[in-house]
Amino acid sequence: MASPERDSSSMSPVMQQSFLSRAAHPSTAPLAVSIYRLMDMKKSNLCLSADVSTTDELLDLAERVGDSICMIKTHADIIDDFGERTIRGLTELGRRKKFLIFEDRKFGDIGSTVQKQYRAGPLRIAQWASIVNAHIFPGPAIITALKSAATDAELLLLPPMREAGDAASSQAPDAHLPHRGLLLLAEMSSEGSLLTGKYTEECVALAREHRDFVIGFIAQRSLNGEPDDNFLTLTPGVSLPPAAGGSSEASRTGDGLGQQYNHPRWVVLEQGSDIIIVGRGILKASDPRAEAERYRQEAWKAYEDRLAREKN
């Protein structure tokens, strides 16, 4: 299902601001501040969807593309040998390469259950993932339950938090401050998705009630609509045509299994998204490092063009 086309003249004022300016917005969650600064520092608004099945594959991929991404999205439950080596290896790579870890858990249960899924069990997600996501169909308690669990847990391998007056912080913003954040699944890129209309509107309403923990949405377009809104938008289903002879124009394709793909330029420039999520376009490339850099450049250019257009 295609997302509604946006009129750039109706885009929220915050979308006309740079990421660095948005980091200073008074309603920005602590983790989102770090993300905006990280993106500005790395000139990257690319999230890699690392849907691989072994620890070796995951760590090798993160090592190869880490310089081009601001975030890596994992599915820990599909990694056959997930364990302590996975956790420590990926966390250390994130610290060294300066990217955040987003576990695509899609929580969707009662509060006490999601707290256990988040903090305990074999995955121990709260120990190593700064970002998780959730559906709101169980009701608003899923947000408060995850927030409570996040407050109690400790992240692994974290450097000391920078003080606000630390002069070095403006030169090397720390993407790994001990904060966590939640993304709400407001829209999906799969054909026929039911995450539309009233459901999406309720996601936005709940996010506004929990601005200190909800950092944004998984959506096909920016959902910032009020003056105080400064939520991140992460958009999956993004793909580039082949490098040789490929068009730079926005296009929409699919994989035959319900997934719908959009061009990065369309998603960022026209729909107001902040971060593109790319999986198979990079994973299946003969040179994932070079392909990740190609996606980074394309998405960052679309962001720069968005800023330039709003100034005119």
Side-chain angles (χ1 to χ4, degrees):
M1 181 180 296
S3 57
E5 185 170 343
R6 295 186 66 95
D7 178 355
S8 62
S9 65
S10 66
M11 192 172 288
S12 169
V14 78
M15 304 310 298
Q16 303 169 18
Q17 300 174 15
S18 69
F19 291 144
L20 206 54
S21 295
R22 290 173 67 184
H25 194 282
S27 68
T28 309
L31 178 61
V33 171
S34 296
I35 296 172
Y36 285 128
R37 289 175 177 170
L38 173 67
M39 290 194 291
D40 179 78
M41 181 187 73
K42 293 190 74 174
K43 301 293 184 286
S44 174
N45 51 343
L46 170 63
C47 171
L48 171 69
S49 181
D51 295 340
V52 295
S53 58
T54 69
T55 295
D56 284 343
E57 288 177 288
L58 177 62
L59 299 185
D60 176 67
L61 186 62
E63 177 70 47
R64 295 169 74 181
V65 308
D67 292 332
S68 295
I69 63 176
C70 65
M71 197 178 295
I72 191 167
K73 183 172 77 69
T74 59
H75 281 289
D77 55 358
I78 70 172
I79 299 176
D80 296 332
D81 58 345
F82 183 89
E84 191 70 20
R85 186 169 76 90
T86 319
I87 293 172
R88 292 193 173 273
L90 186 60
T91 305
E92 181 56 37
L93 274 167
R95 180 180 176 180
R96 177 162 54 85
K97 296 279 188 177
K98 293 185 172 56
F99 60 76
L100 285 163
I101 304 171
F102 163 27
E103 168 56 19
D104 191 7
R105 179 61 180 80
K106 297 184 176 74
F107 291 107
D109 215 315
I110 61 172
S112 61
T113 298
V114 298
Q115 285 187 330
K116 293 172 184 176
Q117 292 172 327
Y118 187 31
R119 289 189 304 200
L123 301 183
R124 294 171 289 155
I125 296 167
Q127 286 191 2
W128 51 272
S130 296
I131 304 162
V132 292
N133 56 0
H135 293 284
I136 63 163
F137 55 72
I142 193 170
I143 299 175
T144 54
L146 288 169
K147 179 180 176 180
S148 175
T151 302
D152 295 340
E154 294 183 0
L155 283 170
L156 296 175
L157 296 174
L158 287 170
M161 183 188 295
R162 295 186 187 277
E163 297 296 331
D166 185 351
S169 63
S170 63
Q171 298 299 320
D174 192 346
H176 293 267
L177 296 174
H179 301 298
R180 291 180 187 74
L182 177 67
L183 295 166
L184 297 182
L185 286 140
E187 295 177 331
M188 295 184 71
S189 55
S190 52
E191 186 176 12
S193 168
L194 302 180
L195 275 62
T196 60
K198 288 292 186 182
Y199 187 92
T200 301
E201 292 173 9
E202 186 63 21
C203 280
V204 177
L206 288 175
R208 288 171 179 153
E209 295 176 13
H210 300 277
R211 295 181 190 272
D212 59 337
F213 184 56
V214 177
I215 62 173
F217 308 101
I218 302 295
Q220 293 297 295
R221 58 202 163 94
S222 171
L223 299 176
N224 290 311
E226 295 185 354
D228 287 341
D229 289 350
N230 188 26
F231 297 109
L232 284 156
T233 304
L234 283 74
T235 300
V238 176
S239 181
L240 281 171
S247 170
S248 62
E249 295 301 315
S251 59
R252 189 172 183 85
T253 59
D255 68 352
L257 297 174
Q259 176 66 295
Q260 301 293 296
Y261 292 112
N262 280 311
H263 193 282
R265 189 168 184 81
W266 167 257
V267 168
V268 177
L269 178 62
E270 304 298 340
Q271 298 294 82
S273 179
D274 299 307
I275 298 174
I276 64 168
I277 301 175
V278 182
R280 282 172 279 187
I282 294 172
L283 298 181
K284 292 187 175 183
S286 58
D287 186 348
R289 178 186 287 109
E291 193 67 358
E293 181 59 17
R294 188 166 77 100
Y295 272 92
R296 184 201 67 78
Q297 292 177 3
E298 191 77 29
W300 192 258
K301 179 63 164 56
Y303 157 69
E304 291 181 323
D305 288 349
R306 185 173 81 194
L307 295 182
R309 181 174 68 182
E310 299 305 330
K311 290 178 181 178
N312 295 331

